[in-house]
Amino acid sequence: MENFEFVSPTQFVFGRGAELTVGRKLAEQGAKHVLLHFGGGSAVKSGLIDRIVASLDAEGIAHTSLGGVRPNPEITLVREGVSLCKTEGIDWVLAVGGGSVIDSAKAIANGACIEEDVWELFETKRPNASVLPIAVVLTIPAAGSEASKNTVISNDELGMKSGYGNDFQRPKLAFMNPELTFTLPEYQTAAGLTDMYAHLLERFFDDVGAVPVTDNLNLSLMKTIRAEAPRVLTEPDNYDARANIMWAGMLCHQGYAGCGRHEDWATHGLEHELSALNPAITHGAGLAVMFPAWMEYVYAENPARFAFYGSEVFGLTPTGDIEADALSAIDETRAFFASLGMPTTLEELDVCEEDIEKMIPTLRANKGEAFGSFKKLTMDDARAIYRLAL
């Protein structure tokens, strides 16, 4: 087990009607004026925003609204939010939505407390301890951003998508009502399942040996996602299935599942370039394509790790041929993503050979000349993995 530091300041309010307690919980924290941040029209049309506003009004908490967060959130709206926070005296940021909204809220909460443009944090990765407190009403379980230290923002002008990690931007409050996920479209649910499963793969495969306590948590979450995935897709209003997935999604990216490991994150880096190239590419869909391709490219570094994963998660019987068992585990992973309705090739995402060179400069800018830990990858390795995924 490697040395690690871990902090988790998030208070979770989980279950039916959790969102109705937003006003009371924020009042207990001393909130006076919140930025109510959300995405498209669904949160408004469903009445969720009205319920949250009523909860805030009941406690005398002022609120300023900023909607319009898109999938793969963009820096322009973040800057608008930063300006509102500074001019309106905002003291809390309240995100209502999934990972995109929460990531945007985190960027705003950072930018509201610094003098320079917030994008500089994404460029320099410098620590920032001055962040407005963040609360979340989760509507899409996937990214795990409701408790994680990470945010990812796109900059369309630069053609980049970049991440920023900071423990001070972990949300202070997360309201998690599985009922709010009943009406999610099937594709969005499937992409979310893929995203959370990919968060586990990034942590399970690295250059560290066995870390049983972390590995077993990781494997348990993988098995839970595989077991519940068919239920949430065929029974979208199954409360228990939705609850298990919502809680699992948080645990997949909150940090527990990587304690004592280096983690890899090469595949997320590769995928971020896809959705920077075309913001319409759903993050989970891109991961469904890139992860099996990455696996095929790197498995020879430690085929026994892949064989163990295949045995534990998919119940594959060892054949005595470690390499064959590793390849079977990769096949099962691709088949699992396909069973969710996810794409299996870049061609399905309208990404072609000519696009590969367009992604390399920003990949290099984001990840450096070498990245990953399971196998150190170069830009030539990245090109090869993209080609495997075509």
Side-chain angles (χ1 to χ4, degrees):
M1 184 181 289
E2 296 296 299
N3 293 353
F4 64 89
E5 293 186 20
F6 179 70
V7 59
S8 182
T10 311
Q11 177 182 345
F12 299 100
V13 182
F14 191 100
R16 294 179 174 90
E19 72 280 9
L20 302 179
T21 67
V22 167
R24 176 167 58 85
K25 292 293 184 181
L26 283 171
E28 291 172 358
Q29 296 288 333
K32 303 297 183 185
H33 190 165
V34 305
L35 179 71
L36 182 56
H37 199 36
F38 53 94
S42 59
V44 176
K45 292 176 183 176
S46 68
L48 176 58
I49 295 297
D50 286 342
R51 296 198 299 277
I52 292 170
V53 166
S55 180
L56 295 172
D57 287 344
E59 299 294 335
I61 299 173
H63 43 85
T64 298
S65 294
L66 179 63
V69 182
R70 73 178 200 194
N72 299 305
E74 212 270 332
I75 192 66
T76 303
L77 190 67
V78 169
R79 288 172 176 145
E80 185 178 340
V82 169
S83 177
L84 281 173
C85 287
K86 290 181 175 181
T87 58
E88 300 295 324
I90 301 294
D91 60 357
W92 275 74
V93 180
L94 172 58
V96 181
S100 294
V101 175
I102 303 167
D103 280 7
S104 184
K106 288 177 177 177
I108 291 169
N110 276 279
C113 298
I114 61 176
E115 293 299 320
E116 68 266 34
D117 179 62
V118 65
W119 184 252
E120 291 187 24
L121 294 178
F122 292 83
E123 290 183 321
T124 65
K125 315 298 185 188
R126 76 163 178 82
N128 177 39
S130 183
V131 183
L132 288 180
I134 301 161
V136 173
V137 177
L138 185 66
T139 63
I140 305 172
S145 196
E146 63 273 14
S148 79
K149 68 177 183 179
N150 303 105
T151 178
V152 181
I153 298 295
S154 295
N155 187 322
D156 289 354
E157 182 182 359
L158 301 179
M160 293 187 71
K161 182 176 180 180
S162 188
Y164 178 66
N166 178 9
D167 277 321
F168 291 98
Q169 69 184 4
R170 288 182 185 265
K172 305 299 184 190
L173 284 165
F175 301 88
M176 305 172 70
N177 178 0
E179 292 177 321
L180 299 181
T181 70
F182 285 2
T183 57
L184 283 176
E186 184 174 325
Y187 187 84
Q188 199 168 24
T189 297
L193 291 164
T194 305
D195 191 10
M196 59 183 74
Y197 193 88
H199 289 156
L200 299 172
L201 294 176
E202 294 283 19
R203 293 173 163 94
F204 189 77
F205 293 103
D206 65 0
D207 59 341
V208 178
V211 182
V213 63
T214 296
D215 291 351
N216 286 327
L217 172 61
N218 220 313
L219 293 167
S220 176
L221 287 166
M222 289 181 188
K223 288 186 277 191
T224 297
I225 292 167
R226 285 197 64 236
E228 297 292 5
R231 287 214 295 168
V232 296
L233 292 174
T234 58
E235 306 170 47
D237 59 352
N238 184 314
Y239 181 87
D240 288 334
R242 290 286 190 181
N244 283 326
I245 287 298
M246 180 173 267
W247 192 241
M250 183 280 296
L251 289 170
C252 289
H253 198 40
Q254 180 239 24
Y256 279 134
C259 288
R261 308 201 64 87
H262 289 155
E263 308 183 12
D264 188 80
W265 298 102
T267 307
H268 268 69
L270 293 165
E271 194 291 320
H272 285 164
E273 301 310 318
L274 296 178
S275 41
L277 178 74
N278 178 5
I281 294 176
T282 303
H283 180 53
L287 288 170
V289 173
M290 294 312 303
F291 237 112
W294 173 84
M295 288 173 151
E296 286 184 357
Y297 193 78
V298 305
Y299 81 92
E301 296 293 307
N302 187 353
R305 185 71 172 170
F306 280 89
F308 175 61
Y309 156 74
S311 173
E312 292 295 313
V313 177
F314 297 103
L316 300 177
T317 302
T319 65
D321 184 334
I322 294 294
E323 181 167 331
D325 292 346
L327 290 170
S328 293
I330 296 168
D331 289 341
E332 290 291 337
T333 305
R334 181 181 284 108
F336 170 55
F337 293 153
S339 75
L340 302 177
M342 290 289 97
T344 58
T345 67
L346 288 179
E347 184 180 17
E348 294 172 71
L349 298 174
D350 294 323
V351 177
C352 61
E353 172 79 29
E354 291 72 26
D355 292 319
I356 293 175
E357 287 306 317
K358 298 176 186 176
M359 296 186 285
I360 296 301
T362 48
L363 177 64
R364 181 184 287 110
N366 275 321
K367 305 297 287 187
E369 290 294 341
F371 62 105
S373 66
F374 188 83
K375 174 183 172 66
K376 282 293 182 185
L377 302 177
T378 66
M379 292 302 111
D380 283 341
D381 292 323
R383 291 180 176 95
I385 295 170
Y386 282 131
R387 291 189 181 104
L388 271 177
L390 285 171

